[in-house]
């Protein structure tokens, strides 16, 4: 496997000349600013240069390349595989209620002999991420890892895009199947700490939370945010919810996508089960960097071969860390083999197993997918 990287900005164009590549299995991986939805010219150039390549990518709340975070750009990785087969599938999504069926459909299309893993990128605003992952779990029972993330749009929550046949399109879910002599690792950790009382979810529907202990969820949430409540939903990224079920060790974190003053409800990136207990969370820079280190240690592998690390971190983490956010991407590279190339983006949700087994939707985590032959 050989990996080349480059960047693109409207002002400067591509950072280097596009290399000539003859590999049969070429993956062009691209993450970038939402505005490229209306400016597809660099994608046209990439498709012209690599007409037989497999394209995968989405919009971001910040682009990761190496140990740096960029904005208003495209980060691009050209991955040449020697003994791996790639297969792509796309489905349009119009309603979050379609999420589970779309997950099943994509998993069905990609299931087959030699499947080692599926990497998923989804529109970040029209999907129920937990239902999407459950759809994959309905079909992919064992032997293949499912990871990925939800496209971002900074702190705007207005539009996102996913590449379909090398073109940026809204309302799309893309899945890449990897087959053959390819090894995939994964890791996902947060670093957030709960505070305040745990309250029972007494009224919720899918990913919409209406009541906690019989009280309007939005009003209760605002009491904790104080003056910051005026900046919702973006301010909610700093204070996610931890969800736990009685008798279970597993804890999920959920981030706010939207609020509704009329119904006093909160809309999250994944399901909010009635009967679960919700607790507010917060974090500081040190805790979040430690979470990124833990994710790297979970996904690390001992190999002398080139390694591709796809890093997907939540936009809420970047908001909390501010100008120090690069410390978490540096921490990842510091804990992976020296021959690792890192590319990624800040997201509206991350997809990964906890440690092993089936995948889940996560929020506010650093989630890593490592790939090598």
């Amino acid at each position: 496997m050989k990996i080349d990287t480059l960047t693109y900005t409207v002002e400067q164009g591509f950072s280097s000349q596009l290399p000539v590549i003859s590999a049969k299995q070429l993956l062009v991986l691209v993450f970038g600013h939402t505005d490229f939805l209306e400016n597809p010219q660099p994608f046209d150039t990439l498709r012209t240069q690599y007409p037989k390549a497999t394209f995968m990518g989405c919009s971001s709340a910040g682009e990761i390349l190496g140990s740096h975070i960029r904005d208003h750009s495209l980060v691009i990785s050209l991955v040449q595989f020697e003994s791996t087969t790639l297969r792509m599938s796309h489905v349009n999504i119009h309603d979050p209620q379609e999420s589970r069926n779309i997950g099943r459909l994509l998993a069905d299309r990609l299931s087959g002999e030699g499947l080692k893993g599926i990497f998923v990128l989804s529109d970040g605003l029209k999907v129920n991420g937990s239902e999407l992952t459950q759809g994959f779990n309905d079909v992919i029972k064992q032997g293949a890892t499912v990871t990925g993330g939800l496209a971002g749009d900074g702190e705007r929550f207005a539009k996102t895009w996913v590449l379909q046949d090398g073109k940026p399109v809204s309302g799309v879910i893309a899945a890449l199947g990897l087959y053959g002599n390819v090894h995939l690792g994964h890791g996902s950790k947060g670093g957030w700490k709960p505070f305040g009382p745990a309250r029972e979810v007494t009224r919720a529907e899918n990913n919409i939370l209406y009541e906690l202990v019989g009280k309007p969820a939005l009003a209760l949430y605002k009491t904790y945010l104080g003056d910051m409540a005026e900046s919702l939903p973006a301010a909610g990224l700093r204070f996610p919810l931890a969800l736990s079920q009685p008798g279970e060790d597993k804890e999920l974190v959920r981030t706010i996508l939207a609020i509704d003053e009329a119904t006093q409800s909160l809309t999250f990136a994944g399901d909010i089960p009635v009967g679960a207990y919700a607790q507010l969370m917060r974090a500081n820079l040190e805790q979040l960097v430690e979470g990124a280190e833990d994710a790297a240690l979970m996904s690390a592998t001992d190999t002398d071969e080139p390694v591709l690390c796809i890093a997907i971190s939540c936009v809420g983490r970047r908001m909390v860390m501010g100008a120090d956010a690069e410390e978490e991407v540096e921490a990842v590279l510091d804990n992976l083999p020296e021959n690792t190339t890192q590319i990624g983006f800040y997201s509206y949700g991350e997809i990964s197993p906890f440690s092993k087994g089936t995948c889940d939707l996560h929020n506010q985590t650093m989630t890593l997918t490592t790939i090598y032959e």
Side-chain angles (χ1 to χ4, degrees):
M1 190 169 79
K2 182 181 177 183
I3 307 169
D4 294 290
T5 62
L6 61 154
T7 61
Y8 177 92
T9 61
V10 173
E11 296 79 12
Q12 298 180 349
F14 289 100
S15 59
S16 63
Q17 186 173 353
L18 297 180
V20 176
I21 295 175
S22 59
K24 291 183 179 179
Q25 293 291 317
L26 171 64
L27 173 63
V28 180
L29 193 59
V30 186
F31 302 113
H33 194 273
T34 321
D35 287 350
F36 285 100
L37 183 63
E38 284 80 38
N39 177 24
Q41 185 273 324
F43 302 105
D44 296 340
T45 301
L46 288 168
R47 291 199 316 277
T48 300
Q49 181 74 5
Y50 309 113
K52 296 182 180 180
T54 298
F55 284 81
M56 189 71 169
C58 69
S59 61
S60 78
E63 302 86 57
I64 298 170
L65 188 63
S67 58
H68 299 290
I69 302 170
R70 303 170 62 92
D71 289 296
H72 305 287
S73 73
L74 297 175
V75 295
I76 304 155
S77 182
L78 308 172
V79 188
Q80 302 176 56
F81 291 97
E82 298 179 0
S83 54
T84 301
T85 300
L86 306 175
R87 285 173 54 192
M88 279 293 306
S89 186
H90 305 87
V91 177
N92 293 327
I93 184 167
H94 306 284
D95 190 307
Q97 294 185 14
E98 302 171 333
S99 300
R100 186 164 183 171
N101 286 336
I102 289 175
R104 290 171 176 166
L105 177 60
L106 290 168
D108 277 329
R109 288 178 179 177
L110 296 176
S111 293
E113 185 177 353
L115 176 66
K116 296 296 180 64
I118 297 175
F119 184 70
V120 185
L121 294 175
S122 171
D123 183 286
L125 298 172
K126 299 178 182 178
V127 71
N128 181 326
S130 56
E131 286 293 293
L132 176 67
T133 58
Q134 187 55 53
F136 278 95
N137 292 337
D138 290 342
V139 177
I140 308 296
K141 299 301 181 182
Q142 58 181 1
T145 302
V146 180
T147 60
L150 310 186
D153 181 30
E155 300 176 27
R156 294 172 292 276
F157 294 90
K159 59 186 178 182
T160 65
W161 55 260
V162 171
L163 289 185
Q164 182 175 25
D165 301 322
K167 302 175 183 178
V169 182
S170 288
V172 168
I173 300 176
L176 171 67
L178 297 100
Y179 309 78
N181 185 31
V182 60
H183 301 268
L184 288 92
H186 59 86
S188 183
K189 284 290 184 178
W192 299 80
K193 305 297 181 184
F195 72 98
R199 292 184 169 91
E200 184 180 2
V201 176
T202 50
R203 185 181 169 217
E205 184 177 342
N206 298 320
N207 61 331
I208 303 176
L209 173 62
Y210 292 98
E211 294 181 359
L212 292 165
V213 292
K215 298 179 181 179
L218 179 56
L220 236 170
Y221 194 81
K222 283 184 175 181
T223 62
Y224 276 92
L225 266 63
D227 293 340
M228 293 181 67
E230 296 179 3
S231 302
L232 283 170
L237 295 170
R238 299 177 181 271
F239 300 96
L241 286 185
L243 292 175
S244 59
Q245 293 278 13
E248 292 186 8
D249 293 333
K250 185 169 71 172
E251 182 181 81
L252 291 173
V253 180
R254 290 287 177 260
T255 295
I256 294 174
L257 292 181
I259 64 172
D260 188 328
E261 294 284 357
T263 61
Q264 285 291 289
S265 65
L266 304 164
T267 300
F268 291 84
D271 281 348
I272 308 292
V274 173
Y277 282 81
Q279 193 172 13
L280 279 169
M281 305 184 82
R282 60 188 172 193
N284 59 34
L285 174 64
E286 183 179 341
Q287 291 166 338
L288 294 178
V289 171
E290 184 177 332
E293 291 174 346
D294 290 343
L297 293 173
M298 290 174 66
S299 64
T301 184
D302 185 16
T303 178
D304 293 329
E305 298 297 326
V307 176
L308 175 69
C309 174
I310 306 175
I312 304 177
S313 186
C314 184
V315 58
R317 298 172 65 88
R318 190 177 185 195
M319 288 180 65
V320 170
M321 290 185 285
D324 295 317
E326 285 190 347
E327 289 195 24
E328 74 163 352
V329 297
E330 293 171 358
V332 169
L333 275 179
D334 287 344
N335 287 278
L336 290 175
E338 291 184 4
N339 48 339
T340 299
T341 299
Q342 179 169 242
I343 189 171
F345 68 104
Y346 280 84
S347 75
Y348 285 173
E350 306 84 57
I351 296 171
S352 173
F354 276 93
S355 56
K356 58 183 179 180
T358 58
C359 66
D360 279 288
L361 174 75
H362 306 272
N363 290 131
Q364 304 289 8
T365 66
M366 170 63 85
T367 290
L368 307 174
T369 303
T370 54
I371 303 172
Y372 72 97
E373 290 183 306

